[in-house]
């Protein structure tokens, strides 16, 4: 029965049966079978190893060895016991003991020679293979390859032997990967996999080997795909350490894509599995500690076990950690130590990364020539190793910094060009938008340095065979560094995410989606069944995280994503040709050391380095928003004036002739109400300018085709409806009643009628959409920020960013008359994940959103005036500007497009009577901005 359970991967039950036999065996007296007993000890040791209980396994193998060597006098079995002991010690990270036992095993079988039986030859080959595995772990690559060759020479002479060959080719592939002989490594993996698949063996480790080759070639998404496949295979085996290692490597793949959040999730899963299973291994534990930041502890464990390669890896990580914290001298020492270890082990990747760290230290200490010498040597080494792209872009970037330090600007610019070409090559191989965004997030520093160097040069720069003026070339690379993922999403056809995907994965996705809806409904309707709301909210957030992970797997499994292409931003003349004579763009770049503004019109192009910096802008905007939150008028005025002097006043001579300004913000400027900036005379920017916003000039170019007349309008509002903990918004009902006066084809929905399922089913029919409800932002999970609507049996009443992006709209304008709907999660690649970009991606031409929590009744007044002006054939940007000016000037007369006078709702008429209170503060009239095509 123990064997039956073992074969079915039911290891806990197998242990019970094996232990029961061993308890009963001594009582059999003359019938006690020592040969069978040693065999059961070996099997029990194997099962305990699969669960990570290596101490138990070692104890059981010792007992098997005692029986085989002293009672059974079976040298072949005793040699196998020694081999298994060596392997088990290697799993614990005790490579010294592992090597000792394996050499004893080899000595015990060495006399069997050419005349030995097949079983004896197999034992010799298996021992060579086990030694190869240990040597590989220790970084002794040539010894590992030599031992696999010796093993294969024997396996080739044994009929029907395939298990050893599978392992031998796999170890060969892993060893060749370490020394960057990737083509040979691929061939070895393929040979091993072919044999394994022919005999229906688990291929988890083949996927791991293939993923490592993909990573070194720069195919980071392919690496993740293979590691997720390896995890699935490992889970089928029910072997705890293999599952934990697979989880760690999935985490590593996410880390390579700069998705630290997902990486941490898998690292902690591995840690939890190790803790729950009681895995007593000193190889897995320090690997987990290293990834979760406890590097010193991992280094100590590996040091005590004699695992020098592990110590080298820990030293490299410590060097990186110390350098990031400004401890350059200490970092230099650790990088030197790790480099020595990797050089001894012929570990090319480790040596490259150590040299990279040393060059960073040289640059920090202004030892630029030393840095260049080391970088040139390392670039040659990386070239010999096959140009590992993820290292290569970093090496060229550091080389650019060194040239900049020596004031060799042309050489620096060339180095940055090469670094960016490699970055964009890797990015181009990534098809899933989330990964493109996360990968790019920590690479914008290269673009920033290039922009600084180009503008410092200040004259024409040779680029791709032509001389380009510095301002124009800096503009090109600023465009290539911002909102690229969103540009790709807009420029590619939507991919049906569930097409050609495994049914089990789709069922899991659907199950989680329904659970999210159910939990959301419980919260919205206060149907908590005696549970604490915070507990249900926590369960909802965890389910959302799991759902995102499953959706990523669905996308990775969908071959249609392979057709996703990376779009190049349009050229400057293309953007200029889309601008009419009344419209000018101001595009900002907030760099680490410089803030740049470009002014672009039809036939106009200027740039200026502004006298401000990243830190000052961030602090000023944060202070301004805080002042607005508490309506501290004097502070608001001072900060708006200061920001105007930093950002607008230096550009006045170029923008003054234009009526419409398209603002393309960057970094913290996304959260600034430009329309409320006030000049030295106290005049707001909105006083004589109409403003609209865009993520980039490229996205403005894509979205500049108008969908024509206003046509049908859908207007939905929360009104007097209370949903869960969200208060009613009575002003919103007045708001949509007022708006109805301006449109002939008008559909109002409020209260219970404002349901999520109605909106999803009908919004695509409308050219104008107005949504007046609560907007709820999630900093932790921006894809689950939502607009509040009524729930139904089918929907939870939370129209999330995720769900909006799945819709297909054809609207000219969506207006979100709700709280802070313009905000979202902004990363370093300027990818703002939020409601505004979700609607743009869904197909709308422009979105009006708010920058802060809005006042209910003043918003109703503003929106009424906005729709009055919009219905009079003004553009959305013009209509919004006119409405904001009307609030400032207290002009509240109403008329429709025919000039017929209209009436205010009674409650709003009361507000009009005291409207002078709105004039004093941008809090009331300034929160709304238009994003997209404002023409």
């Amino acid at each position: 029965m123990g064997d039956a359970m073992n074969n079915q991967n039911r290891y806990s039950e197998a242990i019970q049966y094996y232990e029961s036999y061993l308890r009963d065996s001594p009582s059999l007296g003359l019938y006690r079978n020592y040969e069978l007993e040693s065999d059961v000890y070996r099997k029990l040791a194997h099962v305990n190893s699969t669960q990570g209980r290596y101490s138990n396994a070692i104890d059981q193998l010792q007992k098997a060895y005692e029986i085989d060597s002293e009672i059974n006098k079976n040298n072949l079995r005793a040699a196998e016991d020694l081999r298994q002991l060596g392997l088990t010690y290697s799993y614990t990270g005790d490579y010294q003991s592992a090597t000792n036992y394996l050499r004893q095993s080899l000595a015990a079988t060495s006399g069997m020679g050419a005349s030995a039986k097949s079983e004896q030859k197999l034992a010799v080959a298996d021992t060579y293979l086990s030694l190869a595995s240990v040597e590989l772990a220790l970084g002794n690559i040539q010894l590992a390859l030599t031992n696999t060759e010796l093993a294969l020479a024997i396996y080739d002479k044994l009929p029907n032997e395939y298990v050893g060959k599978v392992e031998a080719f796999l170890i060969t592939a892993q060893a060749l990967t370490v020394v960057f002989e990737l083509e040979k490594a691929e061939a070895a993996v393929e040979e091993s996999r072919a044999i394994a698949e022919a005999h229906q063996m688990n291929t988890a480790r083949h996927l791991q080997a293939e993923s490592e080759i993909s990573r070194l070639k720069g195919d980071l998404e392919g690496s993740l795909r293979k590691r997720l496949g390896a995890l699935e295979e490992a889970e089928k085996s029910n072997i705890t350490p293999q599952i934990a290692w697979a989880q760690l490597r999935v985490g590593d793949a996410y880390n390579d894509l700069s998705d630290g959040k997902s990486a941490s999730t898998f690292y902690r899963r591995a840690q939890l599995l190790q803790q729950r299973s009681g895995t007593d291994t000193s190889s897995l534990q320090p690997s987990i500690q290293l990834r979760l930041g406890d590097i010193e502890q991992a280094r100590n464990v590996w040091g005590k076990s004699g695992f020098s390669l592990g110590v080298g890896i820990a030293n490299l990580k410590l060097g990186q950690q110390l350098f990031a914290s400004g401890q350059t001298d200490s970092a230099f020492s650790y990088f030197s130590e790790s480099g020595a270890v990797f050089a001894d082990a012929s570990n090319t990747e480790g040596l490259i990364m150590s040299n990279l760290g040393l060059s960073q230290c040289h640059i920090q200490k202004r030892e630029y020539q030393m840095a260049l010498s080391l970088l040139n040597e390392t670039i040659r080494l990386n070239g010999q190793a096959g140009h590992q792209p993820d290292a290569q872009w970093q090496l060229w970037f550091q080389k650019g910094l060194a040239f900049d330090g020596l004031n060799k600007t042309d050489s620096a610019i060339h180095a940055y060009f090469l670094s960016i070409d490699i970055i964009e090559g890797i990015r181009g191989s990534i098809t899933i938008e989330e990964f493109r965004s996360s990968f790019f997030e920590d690479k914008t520093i290269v673009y920033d340095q290039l922009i600084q160097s180009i503008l410092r040069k200040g004259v024409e720069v040779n680029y791709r065979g032509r001389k380009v003026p510095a301002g124009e070339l800096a503009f090109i690379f600023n465009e290539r560094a911002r909102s690229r993922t969103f540009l790709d999403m807009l420029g590619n056809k939507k991919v049906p995410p569930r097409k050609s995907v495994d049914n089990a994965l789709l069922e899991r996705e659907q199950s989680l989606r329904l659970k999210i809806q159910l939990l959301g409904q419980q919260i919205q309707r206060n149907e908590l069944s005696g549970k604490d709301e915070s507990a249900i909210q926590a369960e909802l957030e965890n389910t959302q995280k799991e759902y995102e992970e499953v959706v990523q797997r669905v996308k990775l499994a969908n071959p249609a994503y392979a057709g996703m292409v990376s779009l190049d931003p349009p050229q400057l003349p293309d953007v200029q040709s889309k601008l009419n004579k009344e419209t000018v763009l101001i595009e900002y770049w907030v760099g680490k050391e410089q803030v740049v503004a470009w002014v672009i019109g039809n036939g106009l192009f200027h740039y200026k380095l502004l006298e401000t910096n990243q830190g000052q802008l961030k602090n000023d905007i944060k202070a301004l928003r805080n002042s607005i939150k508490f309506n501290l008028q004097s502070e608001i005025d001072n900060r708006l004036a200061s920001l105007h002097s930093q950002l607008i006043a230096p550009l006045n001579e170029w923008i003054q002739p234009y009526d419409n300004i398209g603002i393309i913000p960057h970094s913290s400027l996304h959260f600034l109400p430009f329309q409320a900036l006030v000049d030295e005379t106290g005049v707001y920017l909105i006083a004589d300018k109409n403003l609209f916003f865009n993520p980039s000039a490229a996205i403005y170019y894509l979205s500049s085709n108008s969908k024509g007349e206003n046509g049908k309008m859908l207007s939905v509002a929360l009104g007097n409806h209370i949903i869960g903990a969200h208060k009613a918004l009575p002003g919103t009902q007045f708001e949509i009643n007022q708006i109805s006066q301006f449109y002939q084809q008008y559909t109002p929905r409020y209260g219970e009628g404002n349901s999520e399922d109605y909106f999803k089913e009908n919004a695509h029919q409308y050219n104008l959409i107005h949504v007046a409800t609560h907007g709820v932002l999630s900093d932790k999970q921006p894809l689950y920020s939502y607009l509040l609507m009524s729930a139904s049996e089918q929907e939870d009443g939370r129209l999330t960013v995720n769900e909006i992006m799945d819709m297909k709209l054809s609207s000219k304008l969506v207006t979100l008359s709700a709280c802070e709907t313009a905000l979202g999660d902004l990363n370093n690649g300027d990818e703002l994940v939020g409601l505004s970009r979700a609607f743009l991606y869904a197909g709308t031409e422009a979105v009006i959103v708010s920058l802060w929590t809005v006042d209910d009744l003043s918003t109703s007044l503003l929106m009424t005036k906005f729709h009055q002006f919009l219905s009079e054939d003004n553009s959305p940007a013009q209509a919004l500007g006119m409405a904001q000016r009307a609030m400032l000037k207290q002009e509240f007369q109403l008329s429709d497009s025919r000039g017929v006078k209209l009436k205010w709702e009674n409650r709003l008429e009361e507000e009009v009577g005291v409207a002078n209170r709105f004039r004093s503060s941008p809090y009331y009239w300034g929160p709304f901005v238009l994003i997209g095509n404002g023409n």
Side-chain angles (χ1 to χ4, degrees):
M1 285 299 294
D3 288 349
M5 296 299 102
N6 192 357
N7 292 335
Q8 295 174 40
N9 299 337
R10 294 162 64 178
Y11 297 122
S12 296
E13 294 165 84
I15 288 172
Q16 292 176 9
Y17 283 110
Y18 289 145
E19 287 180 342
S20 175
Y21 172 82
L22 291 170
R23 280 194 303 270
D24 294 341
S25 183
S27 64
L28 296 177
L30 293 174
Y31 299 99
R32 184 175 183 179
N33 187 331
Y34 285 101
E35 191 170 299
L36 180 59
E37 196 169 313
S38 71
D39 194 39
V40 172
Y41 272 123
R42 269 189 299 277
K43 290 176 179 177
L44 184 57
H46 165 74
V47 175
N48 274 309
S49 288
T50 66
Q51 303 306 294
R53 297 169 189 152
Y54 298 121
S55 297
N56 290 350
I58 288 169
D59 181 59
Q60 287 143 11
L61 287 168
Q62 293 282 12
K63 290 177 179 176
Y65 177 71
E66 290 173 11
I67 294 171
D68 287 330
S69 60
E70 297 176 13
I71 299 175
N72 294 336
K73 306 293 185 184
N74 189 323
N75 291 337
L76 187 61
R77 288 201 171 196
E80 176 62 14
D81 296 332
L82 291 170
R83 187 180 77 84
Q84 291 293 340
L85 276 165
L87 277 178
T88 308
Y89 272 110
S90 75
Y91 301 150
T92 70
D94 184 353
Y95 296 109
Q96 185 173 353
S97 296
T99 304
N100 289 338
Y101 276 109
L102 289 171
R103 285 175 179 162
Q104 288 181 52
S105 175
L106 196 59
T109 55
S110 61
M112 296 178 181
S115 61
K117 295 180 180 178
S118 294
E119 187 179 2
Q120 295 168 327
K121 291 179 180 178
L122 181 61
V124 175
D126 287 346
T127 306
Y128 278 130
L129 196 58
S130 299
L131 274 168
S133 176
V134 172
E135 299 294 359
L136 176 63
L138 288 169
N140 300 325
I141 305 304
Q142 195 52 55
L143 284 173
L145 289 170
T146 298
N147 281 310
T148 53
E149 288 172 8
L150 291 169
L152 278 169
I154 298 173
Y155 290 137
D156 283 340
K157 296 175 182 176
L158 297 175
N160 303 319
E161 171 49 41
Y162 59 88
V163 176
K165 285 185 179 180
V166 167
E167 186 70 14
F169 283 122
L170 195 52
I171 292 174
T172 299
Q174 291 167 335
L176 291 169
T177 301
V178 172
V179 294
F180 276 64
E181 294 190 32
L182 301 184
E183 290 185 9
K184 291 181 180 178
E186 279 184 307
V189 175
E190 287 173 11
E191 195 152 2
S192 178
R193 176 189 274 278
I195 300 170
E197 288 177 344
H199 294 86
Q200 298 182 325
M201 295 175 67
N202 186 289
T203 57
R205 292 173 62 230
H206 297 85
L207 286 165
Q208 294 288 12
E210 290 166 354
S211 75
E212 185 64 7
I213 294 168
S214 294
R215 182 184 73 83
L216 293 173
K217 286 185 169 183
D219 182 8
L220 304 183
E221 190 176 87
S223 176
L224 173 61
R225 189 179 287 110
K226 290 181 174 72
R227 291 189 183 190
L228 286 168
L231 177 57
E232 289 177 12
E233 289 292 307
E235 287 168 343
K236 291 176 187 176
S237 73
N238 200 24
I239 298 174
T240 301
Q242 192 176 118
I243 296 169
W245 278 111
Q247 288 172 333
L248 283 184
R249 285 166 183 146
V250 169
D252 290 344
Y254 277 114
N255 223 12
D256 291 334
L257 288 161
S258 301
D259 185 354
K261 187 176 175 183
S262 296
S264 180
T265 296
F266 278 90
Y267 293 154
R268 295 198 179 281
R269 284 181 189 171
Q271 183 183 51
L272 188 62
L273 179 62
Q274 187 262 336
Q275 290 170 347
R276 284 179 175 173
S277 65
T279 303
D280 54 347
T281 168
S282 55
S283 62
L284 178 60
Q285 181 65 23
S287 296
I288 295 172
Q289 291 169 333
L290 182 84
R291 288 162 170 85
L292 290 175
D294 193 358
I295 305 171
E296 283 282 8
Q297 184 60 34
R299 183 174 182 271
N300 292 338
V301 171
W302 280 327
K304 289 177 183 176
S305 68
F307 183 30
S308 60
L309 189 60
V311 173
I313 294 169
N315 284 339
L316 175 61
K317 294 290 185 184
L318 282 169
Q320 292 168 341
Q321 190 179 73
L322 289 165
F323 182 80
S325 66
Q327 300 178 61
T328 306
D329 289 336
S330 297
F332 190 91
S333 297
Y334 279 107
F335 287 137
S336 298
E337 290 178 25
S338 66
V341 171
F342 292 130
D344 287 344
S346 300
N347 188 305
T348 309
E349 183 183 11
L351 182 57
I352 288 169
M353 297 311 293
S354 297
N355 286 352
L356 179 65
L358 288 170
S359 70
Q360 290 174 310
C361 293
H362 283 309
I363 291 168
Q364 189 66 28
K365 294 192 286 186
R366 301 187 178 184
E367 298 167 351
Y368 302 118
Q369 201 58 57
M370 294 178 71
L372 281 173
S373 297
L374 182 58
L375 286 164
N376 287 333
E377 176 190 329
T378 308
I379 287 170
R380 282 195 296 273
L381 175 63
N382 195 38
Q384 293 166 4
H387 292 290
Q388 200 260 322
D390 198 46
Q392 194 79 344
W393 77 261
Q394 297 180 71
L395 292 166
W396 279 111
F397 174 51
Q398 293 301 318
K399 196 169 179 180
L401 292 176
F403 279 128
D404 260 338
L406 293 168
N407 293 318
K408 295 183 177 181
T409 306
D410 286 334
S411 297
I413 289 172
H414 178 68
Y416 296 140
F417 282 164
L418 291 173
S419 179
I420 286 172
D421 283 346
I422 296 165
I423 288 169
E424 297 200 348
I426 300 172
R427 184 184 174 280
S429 71
I430 300 170
T431 62
I432 309 301
E433 59 269 18
E434 298 96 305
F435 299 150
R436 280 187 175 178
S437 182
S438 64
F439 168 76
F440 202 63
E441 186 169 356
D442 62 350
K443 314 296 185 299
T444 54
I445 186 173
V446 187
Y447 294 80
D448 186 38
Q449 287 293 146
L450 175 59
I451 289 167
Q452 287 183 50
S453 296
I454 290 170
L455 295 179
R456 187 164 52 248
K457 183 176 175 64
V459 295
E460 291 181 331
V461 178
N462 286 317
Y463 178 62
R464 293 186 175 174
R466 71 184 183 97
K467 289 186 175 182
V468 184
E472 183 180 341
L473 189 58
F475 172 77
I476 289 170
F477 279 94
N478 136 77
E479 276 287 303
R480 285 171 65 174
R482 65 166 75 223
S483 302
R484 289 292 299 280
T485 300
F486 191 53
L487 176 64
D488 292 343
M489 291 168 66
L490 290 176
N492 284 276
K493 289 183 179 180
K494 282 189 177 181
V495 175
R498 300 167 186 86
K499 184 180 179 182
S500 305
V501 178
D502 176 64
N503 284 336
L505 197 57
L506 289 179
E507 287 171 7
R508 182 63 181 151
E509 184 263 348
Q510 184 178 23
S511 171
L512 289 168
R513 184 154 36 90
L514 293 173
K515 185 178 179 182
I516 288 169
Q517 290 177 357
L518 178 62
L519 292 169
Q521 287 169 343
Q522 290 176 358
I523 294 171
Q524 299 292 72
R525 296 172 177 173
N526 281 323
E527 297 173 352
L528 306 180
S529 304
K531 295 181 181 178
D532 181 54
E533 183 177 340
S534 61
I536 295 181
Q537 185 64 42
E539 185 179 0
L540 174 61
E541 289 177 6
N542 289 332
T543 307
Q544 288 169 340
K545 289 176 185 176
E546 189 177 354
Y547 179 75
E548 285 184 40
E549 186 182 314
V550 170
V551 168
Q552 281 186 357
R553 293 197 187 192
V554 169
K555 290 178 179 179
L556 284 167
N558 188 344
Y561 273 91
M564 292 283 286
V565 297
S566 181
L567 272 66
D568 287 328
Q571 296 298 306
L572 177 61
D574 296 326
V575 176
Q576 290 174 307
S577 70
K578 289 289 183 179
L579 292 164
N580 60 38
K581 296 297 183 181
E582 293 80 37
T583 305
V584 67
L585 300 179
I586 305 176
E587 182 156 349
Y588 293 95
W589 175 265
V590 181
K592 185 178 179 182
E593 297 177 5
Q594 293 179 331
V595 178
V596 190
W598 291 269
V599 179
I600 306 157
N602 196 321
L604 176 77
F605 182 78
H606 296 286
Y607 77 93
K608 195 172 190 70
L609 296 177
L610 303 179
E611 294 182 5
T612 186
N613 59 64
Q614 187 180 70
Q616 182 180 346
L617 283 175
K618 184 176 181 180
N619 291 335
D620 285 355
I621 292 169
K622 182 178 180 181
L624 169 65
R625 291 181 60 82
N626 193 55
S627 300
I628 290 173
K629 180 179 180 181
F630 296 104
N631 206 3
L632 305 174
Q633 191 57 46
S634 61
E635 289 189 21
I636 293 172
D637 291 341
N638 290 335
R639 297 193 185 284
L640 288 171
S642 172
L643 286 160
H644 185 283
S645 69
Q646 296 174 57
L647 298 167
I648 297 296
L651 314 175
N652 265 338
E653 62 175 305
W654 300 320
I655 66 174
Q656 197 56 46
Y658 295 90
D659 295 330
N660 307 313
I661 300 177
I663 302 288
I664 299 175
H666 183 243
S667 188
S668 58
L669 298 184
H670 282 284
F671 309 116
L672 175 64
F674 277 83
Q675 61 275 15
L677 297 183
V678 61
D679 67 16
E680 68 277 4
T681 67
V683 177
Y684 291 109
L685 185 59
I686 198 65
D688 62 353
K689 305 293 181 188
N690 304 309
L691 272 61
F692 62 94
F693 295 77
N694 261 286
S696 69
I699 291 169
Y700 168 78
Y701 177 82
L702 277 184
S703 66
S704 61
N705 295 317
S706 177
K707 292 181 170 65
E709 298 180 359
N710 292 337
K712 295 171 65 178
M713 180 171 186
L714 170 66
S715 192
V716 300
L718 184 64
N720 292 309
H721 193 44
I722 298 172
I723 300 178
H726 300 285
K727 65 180 182 179
L729 295 173
T732 61
Q733 189 163 330
F734 303 144
E735 185 178 313
I736 68 169
N737 287 339
Q738 287 289 149
I739 293 169
S740 67
Q741 301 176 84
F742 305 115
Y743 301 99
Q744 294 182 359
Q745 299 182 68
Y746 184 81
T747 304
R749 306 278 297 190
Y750 42 78
E752 291 284 356
N754 170 26
S755 66
E756 182 185 354
D757 52 0
Y758 178 87
F759 189 87
K760 284 182 175 179
E761 291 167 10
N762 294 280
H764 69 279
Q765 304 174 39
Y766 294 89
N767 200 246
L768 297 173
I769 300 171
H770 186 94
V771 182
T773 185
H774 289 292
V776 180
L777 298 175
S778 172
D779 293 331
K780 294 180 181 177
Q781 295 172 285
L783 289 172
Y784 290 97
S785 297
Y786 63 89
L787 294 170
L788 186 68
M789 297 181 174
S790 294
S792 64
E793 291 301 318
Q794 292 77 32
E795 302 290 351
D796 61 7
R798 300 178 175 207
L799 183 64
T800 66
V801 167
N802 256 334
E803 292 172 314
I804 294 165
M805 292 174 76
D806 282 339
M807 296 176 70
K808 290 184 178 179
L809 301 176
S810 56
S811 50
K812 174 181 176 180
L813 175 69
V814 171
T815 302
L816 302 182
S817 175
C819 304
E820 298 183 316
T821 45
L823 305 187
D825 181 51
L826 182 69
N827 71 14
N828 288 334
D830 223 42
E831 303 287 357
L832 186 70
V833 181
L835 293 163
S836 58
R837 294 197 187 181
F839 274 105
L840 291 173
Y841 179 64
T844 193
E845 192 174 302
V847 190
I848 291 179
V849 286
S850 60
L851 287 168
W852 57 79
T853 302
V854 296
D855 177 76
D856 189 17
L857 291 170
S858 65
T859 297
S860 298
L861 296 179
L862 177 69
M863 287 298 163
T864 300
K865 293 299 291 182
F866 166 71
H867 282 283
Q868 174 191 339
F869 295 127
L870 187 65
S871 69
E872 293 170 353
D873 293 330
N874 292 295
S875 74
Q878 289 171 329
L880 181 59
M882 293 165 77
Q884 289 172 329
R885 288 190 285 275
M887 293 284 284
L888 273 169
K889 297 175 182 178
Q890 303 179 65
E891 295 174 347
F892 292 102
Q893 299 82 10
L894 289 183
S895 62
D896 65 11
S897 59
R898 299 160 295 175
V900 178
K901 287 193 174 183
L902 305 176
K903 292 184 178 181
W904 288 98
E905 291 266 341
N906 290 337
R907 180 69 182 89
L908 292 179
E909 192 167 17
E910 294 174 19
E911 292 297 315
V912 170
V914 291
N916 61 318
R917 73 185 178 92
F918 301 135
R919 183 175 185 177
S920 61
S921 177
Y923 169 77
Y924 295 105
W925 56 263
F928 290 98
V929 295
L930 186 146
I931 300 173
N933 178 20
N935 292 342

